[in-house]
Amino acid sequence: MNGHTLTCENLTIGYESALGEPVTFTVPPGSVLAVVGPSGCGKSTLLSTIAGVIPARSGRVLIDGVDVTQMPTHARKVAMVFQEPLLFPTMTVRDNVAYGPRRSGASASEARSTADELLSWVDLAGLGDRNIDQLSGGQAQRVSLARALASDPAVVCLDEPFSALDAPLRSRLAADVLALVRRTGIPAVHVTHDPDEAETMTLNNSSGSILSL
Amino acid sequence: MTAPTWLRWAWIAPAGFLLAFMVVPLVSLAGQVLSPGTIEYVSDSLPWRVAGLATVQALASTAVSLVVGLPMANVLTRYRFPGRRWALALATVPFVLPTVVVALAFRSLVGSDLGSGFLIVVLAHAYLNMAVVVRIVGARWSTIDPRLDIAARTLGASRWTAFRTVTLPALGPAIASAAAIVFVFSFTSLGIVLLLGDSNTRTLESLVLRQTSILLNFQAAAVSAAIQAIVVGSVLWWAARTRNAIPRGALRTFRLRRPLGSARWAVGIVVAATVVIVLAPVSSLVWSSVRSSSGFTMSWWAIFAGFETIDAGSTRIGSPLSAMARSLSFALVTGLVAATVGGLAAMSVLAHRLGRAFALATALPLGISAATLGLATMLAYGRPPVDLRATGLLIPIAHALIAVPLVVAVATPTLRSTDARLVTVAATLGARPSRAWWTGYGPTLRTVMIAAGGLACAVSLGEFGAASFLARADGPTVPLVIARLLGRPGEASFGAAAAMAVVLVVMTTTLVAAVDRGGRRS
């Protein structure tokens, strides 16, 4: 599998003071690391630090062996999917998904075709021209997933992406994410407060693991 | 809900007020415009040339207001830091300052050599109106999820690209709305233009005043006012259409963020700039009131020692203390009339099926410039057969007309947010309809009326445009006295004007602060 590797070495996180002990882990290509822990323990802060939204207090973040700790967010190729879809409100569904490819220099038609392909993959073909306020909660979250994948990321960070969804949709999207990780070899860091969800995400993944904060 | 019968008829008083003091004067004005000979004034190049000058000036004022106001809106409404509320209140101060005070403050800041012309007029307008940008754009910005920016950056967008492609399109309608309001305020400016402008910074408003009070050509003035009304109406119509482009859906305000990294610098710089920008002209004004060519002096404040006039030559200024008393009495009447009319209007909005339409009707005076209002009132009630000028009521009535929309805007949402079930509870406990209604709404209404009346007083104290038309030569208000003093040479006149302006600033800001405090408590 031709994928990417995420490594965190002695990484200390936190805004003003360090949250917990330094963490060290590696997420190999095509693997899922489930991060579990109670509210306020720093799960989401860990993802933000990996993505470069919050600077690391100490330690290093490496992607494919390259130290990206000081790299700005937009250059890291770490895509995030949040608890809420966070779709751009002034854009159509297709423009949301095409946003990442356009930022990496794809032409409008290339970005459009990438977006349509990914919308098909999340079973939303034909909804590209819709405004985002015409989507259901589940559809919007799938668009958010498609948007993250369309940017050709090296790592995907999932910040409780299924918590606002009902149980059947949750398990379906979890299966979609696992299939994607296997197919593309993109390592995923999945934050959840639900131990069952963490088990589902890792047991169904040959090299999955759980990190408790 | 058990509503008292009288509440259904509460709309009659405000409707009668608007009919008598807005509709009738505007009909008189329209009569002047539609009378024979108008074509001669419409084909005259003067009003069109002035409209062109005013457009260029208003566009420049709008651009500068946006450049100054947008960073303030971003920092003051989205980040959490010590003193944020104070800084936000400070950024709003210029908007409540009377225009003559701002003109005088800018004159004292830059000196008399640079104290007039296009640039200073534009800067003074930006100073007055930056709060419009901060409040309108800031209110929208605080409803944009800050994580959208993060999402864009994780998809490969730099900070600037994320702002340009995600935040800016979402802010677009709010920016357009604020820009339209600033444009209209600058396009219809009178006080700033008269006191700081030159021949290239005239507005139709100043032309109307000249045509009315110097040339006594009411028909030409009416045509100029009509041209201005068409431009203002078009801009406001465009703004209303743009506002509709705001994405629908429930808006929610996001928690203020703690600034991190480079954002800390941005917050520090913007807050420091806000303090300097707001306080520099005001400090200069205070300094001018205690400074003479020979050093520190309190002699300019001697004008408040008694009721003596300070007329000189042909310039009639009268007694500053009398003007102060006159302005205060006008403000008091304005407050009472506006609170009563506006309060009844707000209650009618709640009680009536056609409440929304009525609320819109009460907001109409907002779209009418002060000079248009002043001219129209004078045409209807300032000359025979109905001459009310001697009664001293015209100014407070015109001021009340300007203040009523503000009272309605303050009172309606507060009354709406009152739990109507309290009235039902009171009724089930045996209260008659009027008592039950008062039990539910009375406490809120009382607080809101006091606050709104205070706001109306503040508006009246600083109002310059309508008073320019309606004041008698021997009965000027404080802003008019300041303007007359500024037109007279010599440091004594300037010092006296500065002293009066300082008193006006203290009175106005105290009233607005008290209203703000009362509003927050309620």
Side-chain angles (χ1 to χ4, degrees):
Chain A
M1 188 162 39
N2 211 1
H4 302 276
T5 305
L6 168 72
T7 305
C8 290
E9 288 180 357
N10 295 317
L11 190 65
T12 317
I13 57 168
Y15 287 97
E16 283 168 347
S17 56
L19 283 170
E21 297 297 312
V23 288
T24 297
F25 58 80
T26 295
V27 190
S31 298
V32 176
L33 173 73
V35 182
V36 291
S39 296
C41 70
K43 302 187 296 292
S44 296
T45 308
L46 174 65
L47 293 193
S48 294
T49 309
I50 292 170
V53 177
I54 298 169
R57 295 186 70 80
S58 64
R60 299 198 303 163
V61 178
L62 300 107
I63 295 174
D64 296 332
V66 177
D67 187 349
V68 297
T69 318
Q70 302 302 325
M71 206 179 264
T73 303
H74 68 273
R76 289 194 186 195
K77 295 185 84 65
V78 177
M80 280 184 85
V81 180
F82 300 84
Q83 187 174 358
E84 291 162 68
L86 290 179
L87 300 179
F88 303 132
T90 56
M91 300 179 196
T92 62
V93 167
R94 181 181 291 108
D95 288 343
N96 261 278
V97 182
Y99 188 87
R102 289 290 283 158
R103 301 286 82 76
S104 22
S107 69
S109 62
E110 285 167 353
R112 185 186 167 90
S113 115
T114 305
D116 285 341
E117 189 185 320
L118 277 151
L119 283 171
S120 296
W121 187 77
V122 293
D123 285 346
L124 294 175
L127 300 190
D129 292 324
R130 284 201 185 176
N131 290 327
I132 60 154
D133 55 3
Q134 295 173 296
L135 300 175
S136 68
Q139 287 174 327
Q141 195 58 297
R142 277 187 280 160
V143 173
S144 174
L145 192 59
R147 182 179 68 176
L149 304 179
S151 65
D152 190 23
V155 175
V156 176
C157 289
L158 306 156
D159 191 359
E160 304 197 40
F162 313 136
S163 61
L165 306 176
D166 55 30
L169 196 57
R170 192 183 301 185
S171 48
R172 202 194 131 189
L173 269 181
D176 284 350
V177 169
L178 289 170
L180 163 96
V181 167
R182 267 196 296 271
R183 196 183 75 172
T184 60
I186 301 171
V189 183
H190 180 101
V191 154
T192 177
H193 63 272
D194 180 358
D196 292 340
E197 188 177 297
E199 276 190 22
T200 308
M201 294 299 289
T202 50
L203 291 177
N204 291 325
N205 182 269
S206 53
S207 51
S209 54
I210 296 179
L211 172 71
S212 294
L213 290 182
Chain B
M1 190 182 71
T2 325
T5 318
W6 60 265
L7 197 57
R8 294 188 59 78
W9 303 103
W11 62 273
I12 290 177
F17 180 81
L18 289 177
L19 180 72
F21 298 110
M22 186 180 76
V23 178
V24 169
L26 287 180
V27 168
S28 299
L29 187 69
Q32 284 285 339
V33 175
L34 298 174
S35 57
T38 293
I39 195 73
E40 179 194 334
Y41 297 111
V42 174
S43 54
D44 182 8
S45 65
L46 180 63
W48 300 104
R49 201 168 66 243
V50 172
L53 289 172
T55 304
V56 172
Q57 173 271 114
L59 284 174
S61 301
T62 307
V64 178
S65 299
L66 288 173
V67 167
V68 177
L70 285 177
M72 288 183 186
N74 178 22
V75 164
L76 301 179
T77 62
R78 297 177 75 222
Y79 288 102
R80 180 161 47 100
F81 54 90
R84 187 192 72 86
R85 284 175 82 108
W86 184 84
L88 186 59
L90 191 68
T92 316
V93 164
F95 189 65
V96 300
L97 290 180
T99 51
V100 287
V101 169
V102 172
L104 184 58
F106 268 74
R107 177 76 68 81
S108 68
L109 187 68
V110 300
S112 52
D113 296 338
L114 297 168
S116 63
F118 184 82
L119 182 63
I120 198 75
V121 165
V122 166
L123 290 178
H125 282 157
Y127 180 76
L128 271 168
N129 294 317
M130 62 192 184
V132 174
V133 179
V134 173
R135 291 289 179 170
I136 294 180
V137 179
R140 174 74 183 124
W141 217 328
S142 62
T143 66
I144 297 175
D145 194 331
R147 293 170 303 173
L148 287 175
D149 175 77
I150 295 171
R153 280 159 54 203
T154 63
L155 295 170
S158 63
R159 276 179 193 275
W160 166 243
T161 307
F163 174 77
R164 185 174 54 77
T165 56
V166 176
T167 309
L168 202 55
L171 284 178
I175 292 175
S177 187
I181 291 171
V182 175
F183 179 90
V184 167
F185 283 162
S186 307
F187 186 79
T188 60
S189 171
L190 182 62
I192 295 289
V193 167
L194 281 184
L195 300 176
L196 296 177
D198 57 17
S199 57
N200 288 320
T201 48
R202 280 184 294 172
T203 55
L204 285 164
E205 200 84 341
S206 65
L207 182 64
V208 171
L209 182 63
R210 185 177 147 75
Q211 287 167 329
T212 308
S213 57
I214 297 175
L215 306 176
L216 301 176
N217 190 341
F218 293 125
Q219 197 168 358
V223 168
S224 302
I227 293 171
Q228 178 172 272
I230 290 168
V231 175
V232 168
S234 308
V235 173
L236 292 178
W237 174 77
W238 173 79
R241 274 180 50 129
T242 314
R243 245 195 317 275
N244 290 338
I246 293 177
R248 289 191 179 81
L251 292 179
R252 63 175 174 136
T253 304
F254 289 90
R255 272 197 331 182
L256 297 168
R257 288 187 294 173
R258 187 181 291 274
L260 296 169
S262 59
R264 283 186 185 171
W265 283 99
V267 167
I269 290 168
V270 169
V271 171
T274 305
V275 172
V276 171
I277 289 170
V278 174
L279 292 186
V282 178
S283 312
S284 177
L285 178 71
V286 175
W287 177 234
S288 293
S289 73
V290 293
R291 178 187 59 182
S292 74
S293 51
S294 51
F296 179 82
T297 179
M298 288 303 287
S299 53
W300 314 141
W301 289 82
I303 54 169
F304 296 114
F307 282 90
E308 289 81 26
T309 63
I310 52 172
D311 293 353
S314 59
T315 315
R316 298 188 68 182
I317 290 168
S319 151
L321 214 52
S322 300
M324 198 73 80
R326 194 176 299 114
S327 277
L328 277 173
S329 63
F330 285 169
L332 202 63
V333 177
T334 301
L336 284 172
V337 174
T340 309
V341 172
L344 284 169
M347 284 152 63
S348 309
V349 168
L350 278 186
H352 218 273
R353 268 188 308 137
L354 298 174
R356 277 182 187 280
F358 190 62
L360 202 64
T362 58
L364 279 179
L366 274 184
I368 304 167
S369 76
T372 307
L373 193 64
L375 172 63
T377 307
M378 200 173 70
L379 286 173
Y381 299 119
R383 56 184 187 167
V386 186
D387 191 352
L388 297 178
R389 286 218 285 173
T391 64
L393 282 174
L394 280 187
I395 291 180
I397 285 171
H399 286 176
L401 207 52
I402 294 168
V404 161
L406 301 178
V407 175
V408 176
V410 169
T412 309
T414 316
L415 286 177
R416 272 216 179 101
S417 66
T418 305
D419 194 341
R421 290 173 302 179
L422 290 175
V423 179
T424 311
V425 171
T428 59
L429 295 173
R432 290 175 180 278
S434 288
R435 164 56 71 184
W437 193 89
W438 186 253
T439 306
Y441 288 102
T444 313
L445 192 65
R446 201 167 43 219
T447 315
V448 165
M449 286 303 96
I450 291 169
L455 199 62
C457 285
V459 168
S460 172
L461 277 176
E463 205 280 332
F464 176 74
S468 307
F469 285 82
L470 300 171
R472 290 155 60 98
D474 57 353
T477 58
V478 172
L480 292 180
V481 169
I482 292 173
R484 287 178 189 180
L485 280 168
L486 270 182
R488 205 167 71 168
E491 66 172 9
S493 300
F494 195 84
M500 289 198 83
V502 169
V503 174
L504 198 54
V505 169
V506 171
M507 284 159 59
T508 314
T509 48
T510 306
L511 266 172
V512 173
V515 167
D516 188 46
R517 207 179 167 82
R520 237 181 278 150
R521 268 192 200 155
S522 72

